Amino acid sequence: MVSDGYSKYLQSLSDVQREAACSDISVPLMIVAGPGSGKTSTMVGRLLTLLKEGIDPRNILAMTFTTAAAAEMRERIRTVAGKAIAKELMISTLHSFCLQLCRSHADKLGRTTDFLIYGHGQ
Ligand SMILES: Nc1ncnc2c1ncn2[C@@H]1O[C@H](COP(=O)(O)OP(=O)(O)OP(=O)(O)O)[C@@H](O)[C@H]1O
């Protein structure tokens, strides 16, 4: 992990963002803030802190509501931590993650992996 990039990224955050991003990783953290106030940037800082603390990227799950937010988060991580780490991290929308989970355990749900999801109007 590029620690220069990590320090630089942290410097770009405000004091409260940095405090949240760097707080003790063994303690659950909840961030409540308004739209466009810097939550995603803080979450990227948090992910980078987890990586810096030695957490295996394959053991990190970052969930978002929109695909745009997931892509943006991955891109920001890629810039600082590199392509390989960004690829290993599970950054996904809530819907995509749940679909993957259902497909991986389809047999337990009495389904095959090629089940279809029906939405409104179908
Ligand atoms: N500390 C900061 N200093 C300057 N700009 C910042 C800072 N934190 C975030 N920004 C910028 O503000 C904008 C919104 O940040 P971000 O996407 O992190 O907010 P958000 O709360 O996740 O937004 P949304 O509610 O739309 O998901 C982005 O352009 C981001 O680069």
Side-chain angles (χ1 to χ4, degrees), residues 16-86:
V16 281
Q17 284 174 314
R18 197 176 313 110
E19 186 186 348
C22 301
S23 67
D24 185 348
I25 66 162
S26 66
V27 178
L29 174 72
M30 180 166 77
I31 296 169
V32 182
S37 57
K39 300 180 297 294
T40 306
S41 312
T42 307
M43 217 167 130
V44 169
R46 185 65 169 173
L47 292 175
L48 293 171
T49 299
L50 292 175
L51 293 168
K52 179 111 195 316
E53 292 287 321
I55 304 295
D56 188 321
R58 290 165 301 181
N59 289 333
I60 298 176
L61 167 65
M63 260 198 280
T64 64
F65 278 110
T66 65
T67 44
E72 191 186 330
M73 199 177 281
R74 191 180 298 282
E75 180 52 27
R76 292 194 207 176
I77 297 281
R78 192 193 60 77
T79 309
V80 180
K83 206 171 169 180
I85 289 178

Side-chain angles (χ1 to χ4, degrees), residues 20 60 89 93 102:
I60 298 176
L89 277 171
T93 63
C102 289

